[in-house]
Amino acid sequence: MVPAENVVGELGRGHVVAFNILNVGRFKLAAGAIGSVQIVLETALKYASERKQFGVALNTFGVIQSKIAEIATRMYLAESVVYRTAGLMENRFQGLDLTVNCSKEAGKALEEYAIECSLNKVLASEVLDFAVDEGVQIHGGYGYIQEYPIERMYRDSRINRLFEGTNEINRLLVPGTLLKRAMTGELPLLEAAKAVSKDLVSAGMSDAEGLAGLNQMTQKAKKLCLMAAGLAAQNLGVKLKDNQYVLTGLAEMVLQVYAMESGVLRAQKVQTLDVSDEHKVFVEKAATLGAFGAFIILEQQAKEVLCAVEKGDSLSTALAGMRKLVRRPTVDMIGMRQEIAKYVIEKGHYPTR
Ligand SMILES: Cc1cc2nc3c(=O)[nH]c(=O)nc-3n(C[C@H](O)[C@H](O)[C@H](O)COP(=O)(O)OP(=O)(O)OC[C@H]3O[C@@H](n4cnc5c(N)ncnc54)[C@H](O)[C@@H]3O)c2cc1C
């Protein structure tokens, strides 16, 4: 028996408290994971500067530099997502007394960010896993030996994709929650999806350059995501909630959009701050490389979802619409990786800290 004064939250609504603990836990896991990525990167950078092969340090090889640039770029996106979500939640909690025994308002406020918390968890834990895997690879055979710290980092990282809800379950929660909110009228998702279909005629090529161009690209990415979700809901109806293949594809699209947009918004903000020019350049390059990388995944997922939910002429129409939304300028991704790697190697650590 629990004495009445010890009841947490409202009687009979303990699940709200429990689910919100999970939400906050997922967000905190992401914040912890990006801290770990920084340590992994620093460890790999140090080793790559000390270990010599063929008479030169490992960090002079393009293959190693490419890995370093990719870790730093994915880290930048994950960090941007965590910072953005922290800001969103902080703003939402303004004026709420979170110390009052799990108040209804606090529970509701936290619940509103359930999707973002899942996205944070999935993205950051997978960036960390990518970083430790490449970290071991940079260490070669020594990465497999316990005397080297990267070996433990590799083992310790793995749990993050499992606990606080596996990444599969967290992915499924994203479209599941969105659809639920759409059905209850909380979110005008289906209306937005219909508007995108009508608007496709005007979806031309992104013509702006730099961060403004990335912004345009992000808007198109969102439209693509809405289009795929709308067609999936329209064609599968109630069966959509049980189609994990399609739901996972949609989740991946939302994840990539949230990551690319967070990176771009942050890069825009950094340009207005009193920081060094080289820092501004790094952030812009990481946002660009990250956004283009995310868009490639997004395009593939959109194509798979459309092919699964449409057939015949409707599929051809949908794919034609999609082609309009994915038209984007080309960028020298290799050149960008080279510049990011050079900067990160010079610094010897993840550069935005
Ligand atoms: C070191 C460690 C610490 C932990 N700490 C805590 C803790 O402090 N508090 C706590 O509550 N829990 C804790 N856990 C438990 C953890 O949250 C669970 O292990 C995790 O949620 C996965 O559940 P499971 O192990 O039962 O796997 P299962 O649910 O059996 O999952 C196995 C596989 O099937 C997939 N799967 C399962 N159900 C579905 C579905 N419906 N649709 C699609 N795929 C599905 C999963 O994604 C996974 O790939 C901890 C676990 C470990 C290993």
Side-chain angles (χ1 to χ4, degrees):
M1 295 295 286
V2 178
E5 65 272 22
N6 291 359
V7 169
V8 178
E10 290 174 71
L11 210 57
R13 292 186 56 80
H15 63 283
V16 176
V17 179
F19 286 143
N20 274 328
I21 289 171
L22 270 176
N23 288 334
V24 177
R26 285 166 187 161
F27 176 66
K28 288 197 296 187
L29 183 150
I34 59 167
S36 301
V37 178
Q38 295 185 40
I39 299 170
V40 171
L41 183 57
E42 200 166 332
T43 306
L45 283 166
K46 185 168 181 296
Y47 186 80
S49 70
E50 289 167 356
R51 168 79 169 165
K52 295 210 163 51
Q53 279 295 39
F54 300 92
V56 288
L58 290 181
N59 65 16
T60 60
F61 298 124
V63 166
I64 302 292
Q65 291 171 359
S66 182
K67 291 182 191 303
I68 287 166
E70 221 23 70
I71 297 172
T73 302
R74 293 185 195 197
M75 164 68 193
Y76 171 79
L77 287 190
E79 189 184 50
S80 305
V81 159
V82 170
Y83 284 177
R84 181 185 185 187
T85 310
L88 288 170
M89 291 207 281
E90 200 173 340
N91 287 342
R92 180 63 181 82
F93 298 154
Q94 290 288 324
L96 285 182
D97 184 359
L98 298 180
T99 60
V100 179
N101 182 20
C102 301
S103 71
K104 210 172 179 176
E105 295 92 306
K108 195 169 165 293
L110 274 170
E111 229 174 337
E112 281 173 29
Y113 290 94
I115 295 174
E116 284 83 354
C117 290
S118 286
L119 293 172
N120 272 261
K121 193 265 178 186
V122 171
L123 181 70
S125 63
E126 291 182 6
V127 170
L128 177 57
D129 248 13
F130 174 78
V132 289
D133 190 62
E134 290 293 47
V136 167
Q137 205 64 22
I138 290 170
H139 280 69
Y142 292 113
Y144 199 69
I145 295 173
Q146 281 195 344
E147 280 94 307
Y148 287 79
I150 195 76
E151 182 269 350
R152 178 168 176 187
M153 293 175 195
Y154 181 82
R155 264 187 298 129
D156 284 351
S157 161
R158 190 59 184 83
I159 186 64
N160 291 298
R161 281 166 51 206
L162 294 164
F163 58 18
E164 298 290 353
T166 62
N167 284 14
E168 290 76 11
I169 294 295
N170 273 289
R171 276 195 164 86
L172 291 172
L173 280 172
V174 172
T177 311
L178 281 172
L179 287 169
K180 211 182 286 167
R181 289 182 188 171
M183 295 308 169
T184 55
E186 210 182 315
L187 201 67
L189 196 67
L190 301 176
E191 294 79 347
K194 275 187 195 140
V196 169
S197 303
K198 279 194 198 144
D199 196 33
L200 277 178
V201 189
S202 60
M205 173 99 152
S206 308
D207 45 15
E209 297 197 339
L211 290 172
L214 286 187
N215 222 336
Q216 283 185 355
M217 220 168 94
T218 307
Q219 298 314 315
K220 289 173 120 189
K222 281 188 190 173
K223 287 183 178 173
L224 186 56
C225 203
L226 274 170
M227 178 187 159
L231 290 175
Q234 187 183 311
N235 290 318
L236 299 182
V238 287
K239 286 192 193 143
L240 174 58
K241 73 173 179 31
D242 298 319
N243 191 328
Q244 294 191 347
Y245 291 92
V246 171
L247 290 173
T248 306
L250 294 175
E252 194 58 44
M253 294 178 74
V254 177
L255 181 67
Q256 298 305 327
V257 169
Y258 195 47
M260 72 192 279
E261 187 178 55
S262 304
V264 174
L265 290 174
R266 179 175 169 202
Q268 281 174 329
K269 194 168 185 179
V270 165
Q271 304 310 314
T272 66
L273 300 180
D274 184 21
V275 293
S276 68
D277 284 346
E278 56 177 10
H279 183 98
K280 289 181 182 171
V281 172
F282 164 75
V283 164
E284 182 166 354
K285 294 253 178 295
T288 310
L289 189 61
F292 273 81
F295 213 107
I296 292 168
I297 301 172
L298 190 85
E299 183 177 357
Q300 176 63 21
Q301 292 297 333
K303 203 184 286 178
E304 288 189 17
V305 168
L306 293 186
C307 289
V309 303
E310 289 280 16
K311 297 284 170 269
D313 288 347
S314 329
L315 175 60
S316 306
T317 312
L319 290 175
M322 184 190 108
R323 277 194 288 277
K324 285 190 178 175
L325 290 173
V326 300
R327 266 199 308 226
R328 57 195 182 276
T330 44
V331 288
D332 177 9
M333 292 179 81
I334 291 180
M336 258 179 223
R337 265 185 217 114
Q338 281 171 327
E339 287 181 55
I340 291 173
K342 184 169 175 284
Y343 184 58
V344 176
I345 288 167
E346 270 168 22
K347 286 270 170 204
H349 55 77
Y350 178 66
T352 74
R353 72 163 200 231

Short mmCIF file of all heavy atoms in Angstrom, two decimals, residues 285-320:
data_model
loop_
_atom_site.label_atom_id
_atom_site.label_comp_id
_atom_site.label_asym_id
_atom_site.label_seq_id
_atom_site.Cartn_x
_atom_site.Cartn_y
_atom_site.Cartn_z
N LYS A 285 30.20 24.34 -43.22
CA LYS A 285 30.56 23.14 -44.00
C LYS A 285 29.89 21.90 -43.40
O LYS A 285 29.36 21.05 -44.13
CB LYS A 285 32.08 22.93 -44.00
CG LYS A 285 32.85 24.02 -44.73
CD LYS A 285 33.38 23.52 -46.04
CE LYS A 285 34.12 24.57 -46.82
NZ LYS A 285 33.34 25.72 -47.29
N ALA A 286 29.92 21.79 -42.07
CA ALA A 286 29.32 20.61 -41.42
C ALA A 286 27.81 20.58 -41.68
O ALA A 286 27.24 19.52 -41.95
CB ALA A 286 29.61 20.62 -39.92
N ALA A 287 27.18 21.76 -41.63
CA ALA A 287 25.73 21.81 -41.88
C ALA A 287 25.43 21.40 -43.32
O ALA A 287 24.47 20.68 -43.60
CB ALA A 287 25.20 23.22 -41.62
N THR A 288 26.30 21.84 -44.25
CA THR A 288 26.07 21.53 -45.67
C THR A 288 26.29 20.05 -45.94
O THR A 288 25.42 19.37 -46.53
CB THR A 288 27.03 22.36 -46.56
OG1 THR A 288 26.93 23.72 -46.17
CG2 THR A 288 26.69 22.21 -48.02
N LEU A 289 27.43 19.54 -45.50
CA LEU A 289 27.73 18.12 -45.74
C LEU A 289 26.67 17.25 -45.05
O LEU A 289 26.18 16.26 -45.63
CB LEU A 289 29.12 17.79 -45.19
CG LEU A 289 29.69 16.42 -45.54
CD1 LEU A 289 29.83 16.23 -47.04
CD2 LEU A 289 31.04 16.20 -44.86
N GLY A 290 26.30 17.64 -43.82
CA GLY A 290 25.29 16.89 -43.07
C GLY A 290 23.95 16.90 -43.79
O GLY A 290 23.28 15.87 -43.91
N ALA A 291 23.55 18.08 -44.29
CA ALA A 291 22.25 18.20 -44.95
C ALA A 291 22.22 17.40 -46.25
O ALA A 291 21.22 16.71 -46.54
CB ALA A 291 21.94 19.67 -45.23
N PHE A 292 23.28 17.46 -47.02
CA PHE A 292 23.30 16.69 -48.28
C PHE A 292 23.32 15.19 -47.99
O PHE A 292 22.67 14.42 -48.70
CB PHE A 292 24.49 17.12 -49.15
CG PHE A 292 24.15 18.31 -50.02
CD1 PHE A 292 24.19 19.60 -49.52
CD2 PHE A 292 23.75 18.13 -51.34
CE1 PHE A 292 23.85 20.70 -50.30
CE2 PHE A 292 23.41 19.22 -52.14
CZ PHE A 292 23.46 20.51 -51.62
N GLY A 293 24.05 14.79 -46.96
CA GLY A 293 24.07 13.36 -46.58
C GLY A 293 22.68 12.92 -46.16
O GLY A 293 22.21 11.84 -46.54
N ALA A 294 22.02 13.76 -45.35
CA ALA A 294 20.67 13.43 -44.86
C ALA A 294 19.69 13.33 -46.03
O ALA A 294 18.83 12.46 -46.06
CB ALA A 294 20.20 14.49 -43.86
N PHE A 295 19.86 14.23 -47.00
CA PHE A 295 18.93 14.24 -48.13
C PHE A 295 19.02 12.96 -48.96
O PHE A 295 18.03 12.47 -49.50
CB PHE A 295 19.19 15.47 -49.01
CG PHE A 295 17.94 16.01 -49.65
CD1 PHE A 295 17.36 17.18 -49.20
CD2 PHE A 295 17.32 15.32 -50.69
CE1 PHE A 295 16.18 17.67 -49.77
CE2 PHE A 295 16.15 15.79 -51.27
CZ PHE A 295 15.58 16.97 -50.81
N ILE A 296 20.23 12.43 -49.06
CA ILE A 296 20.41 11.17 -49.83
C ILE A 296 19.59 10.05 -49.17
O ILE A 296 18.89 9.30 -49.84
CB ILE A 296 21.91 10.80 -49.91
CG1 ILE A 296 22.64 11.82 -50.79
CG2 ILE A 296 22.11 9.38 -50.44
CD1 ILE A 296 24.16 11.75 -50.74
N ILE A 297 19.68 9.98 -47.84
CA ILE A 297 18.91 8.94 -47.10
C ILE A 297 17.41 9.18 -47.28
O ILE A 297 16.62 8.26 -47.54
CB ILE A 297 19.28 8.95 -45.60
CG1 ILE A 297 20.78 8.70 -45.42
CG2 ILE A 297 18.46 7.92 -44.82
CD1 ILE A 297 21.28 8.88 -44.00
N LEU A 298 17.04 10.46 -47.15
CA LEU A 298 15.63 10.85 -47.27
C LEU A 298 15.05 10.44 -48.61
O LEU A 298 13.94 9.89 -48.71
CB LEU A 298 15.58 12.37 -47.11
CG LEU A 298 14.23 13.01 -46.97
CD1 LEU A 298 13.83 12.98 -45.50
CD2 LEU A 298 14.27 14.44 -47.42
N GLU A 299 15.80 10.71 -49.66
CA GLU A 299 15.33 10.41 -51.02
C GLU A 299 15.10 8.90 -51.18
O GLU A 299 14.08 8.46 -51.72
CB GLU A 299 16.36 10.92 -52.03
CG GLU A 299 15.93 10.72 -53.47
CD GLU A 299 16.92 11.31 -54.46
OE1 GLU A 299 17.93 11.92 -54.06
OE2 GLU A 299 16.69 11.13 -55.67
N GLN A 300 16.06 8.13 -50.70
CA GLN A 300 15.95 6.67 -50.81
C GLN A 300 14.72 6.16 -50.05
O GLN A 300 13.96 5.33 -50.56
CB GLN A 300 17.24 6.03 -50.26
CG GLN A 300 17.25 4.51 -50.22
CD GLN A 300 17.13 3.87 -51.61
OE1 GLN A 300 17.41 4.50 -52.62
NE2 GLN A 300 16.66 2.63 -51.65
N GLN A 301 14.54 6.67 -48.83
CA GLN A 301 13.40 6.22 -48.02
C GLN A 301 12.07 6.62 -48.67
O GLN A 301 11.11 5.85 -48.67
CB GLN A 301 13.48 6.83 -46.60
CG GLN A 301 14.63 6.31 -45.78
CD GLN A 301 14.54 4.81 -45.50
OE1 GLN A 301 13.45 4.24 -45.47
NE2 GLN A 301 15.68 4.16 -45.33
N ALA A 302 12.04 7.85 -49.22
CA ALA A 302 10.80 8.32 -49.86
C ALA A 302 10.44 7.41 -51.03
O ALA A 302 9.28 7.01 -51.19
CB ALA A 302 10.99 9.76 -50.33
N LYS A 303 11.47 7.08 -51.82
CA LYS A 303 11.22 6.22 -52.99
C LYS A 303 10.66 4.85 -52.54
O LYS A 303 9.70 4.34 -53.11
CB LYS A 303 12.53 6.04 -53.77
CG LYS A 303 12.30 5.67 -55.22
CD LYS A 303 13.59 5.42 -55.95
CE LYS A 303 14.38 6.66 -56.26
NZ LYS A 303 15.66 6.40 -56.94
N GLU A 304 11.27 4.29 -51.50
CA GLU A 304 10.82 2.98 -51.02
C GLU A 304 9.37 3.04 -50.53
O GLU A 304 8.57 2.16 -50.81
CB GLU A 304 11.74 2.48 -49.90
CG GLU A 304 13.10 2.06 -50.43
CD GLU A 304 13.96 1.37 -49.38
OE1 GLU A 304 13.42 0.93 -48.35
OE2 GLU A 304 15.18 1.27 -49.60
N VAL A 305 9.05 4.11 -49.76
CA VAL A 305 7.69 4.23 -49.22
C VAL A 305 6.69 4.41 -50.37
O VAL A 305 5.65 3.73 -50.41
CB VAL A 305 7.60 5.41 -48.22
CG1 VAL A 305 6.15 5.73 -47.88
CG2 VAL A 305 8.37 5.08 -46.94
N LEU A 306 7.02 5.28 -51.31
CA LEU A 306 6.09 5.51 -52.42
C LEU A 306 5.85 4.22 -53.21
O LEU A 306 4.71 3.90 -53.56
CB LEU A 306 6.61 6.61 -53.35
CG LEU A 306 6.69 8.02 -52.75
CD1 LEU A 306 7.08 9.04 -53.82
CD2 LEU A 306 5.37 8.44 -52.13
N CYS A 307 6.91 3.49 -53.49
CA CYS A 307 6.76 2.23 -54.24
C CYS A 307 5.92 1.22 -53.47
O CYS A 307 5.25 0.37 -54.07
CB CYS A 307 8.12 1.63 -54.58
SG CYS A 307 9.00 2.58 -55.82
N ALA A 308 5.98 1.30 -52.14
CA ALA A 308 5.20 0.33 -51.33
C ALA A 308 3.73 0.70 -51.26
O ALA A 308 2.88 -0.19 -51.14
CB ALA A 308 5.78 0.26 -49.92
N VAL A 309 3.42 2.00 -51.32
CA VAL A 309 2.01 2.37 -51.08
C VAL A 309 1.24 2.76 -52.35
O VAL A 309 0.02 2.88 -52.31
CB VAL A 309 1.89 3.52 -50.03
CG1 VAL A 309 2.57 3.11 -48.72
CG2 VAL A 309 2.46 4.84 -50.53
N GLU A 310 1.96 3.00 -53.44
CA GLU A 310 1.29 3.38 -54.69
C GLU A 310 1.57 2.34 -55.76
O GLU A 310 2.58 1.64 -55.71
CB GLU A 310 1.83 4.74 -55.18
CG GLU A 310 1.39 5.93 -54.34
CD GLU A 310 -0.02 6.40 -54.66
OE1 GLU A 310 -0.78 5.66 -55.31
OE2 GLU A 310 -0.37 7.51 -54.23
N LYS A 311 0.71 2.26 -56.76
CA LYS A 311 0.94 1.32 -57.86
C LYS A 311 0.54 1.99 -59.17
O LYS A 311 -0.23 2.95 -59.19
CB LYS A 311 0.08 0.05 -57.69
CG LYS A 311 0.41 -0.79 -56.45
CD LYS A 311 1.70 -1.60 -56.60
CE LYS A 311 2.15 -2.25 -55.29
NZ LYS A 311 3.04 -1.52 -54.44
N GLY A 312 1.08 1.50 -60.29
CA GLY A 312 0.66 1.93 -61.63
C GLY A 312 0.84 3.41 -61.89
O GLY A 312 1.88 4.00 -61.53
N ASP A 313 -0.21 4.02 -62.51
CA ASP A 313 -0.12 5.44 -62.88
C ASP A 313 0.05 6.35 -61.67
O ASP A 313 0.76 7.35 -61.74
CB ASP A 313 -1.39 5.87 -63.64
CG ASP A 313 -1.42 5.26 -65.03
OD1 ASP A 313 -0.36 4.74 -65.47
OD2 ASP A 313 -2.49 5.30 -65.67
N SER A 314 -0.63 6.01 -60.57
CA SER A 314 -0.51 6.86 -59.38
C SER A 314 0.93 6.85 -58.88
O SER A 314 1.43 7.86 -58.39
CB SER A 314 -1.39 6.41 -58.23
OG SER A 314 -2.53 5.82 -58.68
N LEU A 315 1.59 5.70 -59.00
CA LEU A 315 2.99 5.64 -58.57
C LEU A 315 3.85 6.54 -59.47
O LEU A 315 4.70 7.30 -58.98
CB LEU A 315 3.51 4.20 -58.61
CG LEU A 315 5.01 4.02 -58.30
CD1 LEU A 315 5.35 4.55 -56.91
CD2 LEU A 315 5.42 2.54 -58.40
N SER A 316 3.61 6.48 -60.79
CA SER A 316 4.39 7.32 -61.71
C SER A 316 4.18 8.79 -61.36
O SER A 316 5.15 9.57 -61.34
CB SER A 316 3.95 7.09 -63.16
OG SER A 316 4.03 5.73 -63.44
N THR A 317 2.93 9.18 -61.07
CA THR A 317 2.66 10.58 -60.71
C THR A 317 3.38 10.95 -59.42
O THR A 317 3.99 12.02 -59.30
CB THR A 317 1.13 10.79 -60.52
OG1 THR A 317 0.46 10.21 -61.64
CG2 THR A 317 0.77 12.24 -60.36
N ALA A 318 3.31 10.05 -58.45
CA ALA A 318 3.96 10.33 -57.16
C ALA A 318 5.47 10.46 -57.34
O ALA A 318 6.10 11.36 -56.77
CB ALA A 318 3.63 9.22 -56.17
N LEU A 319 6.05 9.56 -58.15
CA LEU A 319 7.51 9.61 -58.35
C LEU A 319 7.92 10.88 -59.10
O LEU A 319 8.97 11.46 -58.83
CB LEU A 319 8.00 8.36 -59.09
CG LEU A 319 7.94 7.06 -58.27
CD1 LEU A 319 8.33 5.86 -59.14
CD2 LEU A 319 8.85 7.12 -57.05
N ALA A 320 7.04 11.31 -60.02
CA ALA A 320 7.34 12.56 -60.75
C ALA A 320 7.32 13.74 -59.78
O ALA A 320 8.18 14.63 -59.83
CB ALA A 320 6.32 12.77 -61.86
#
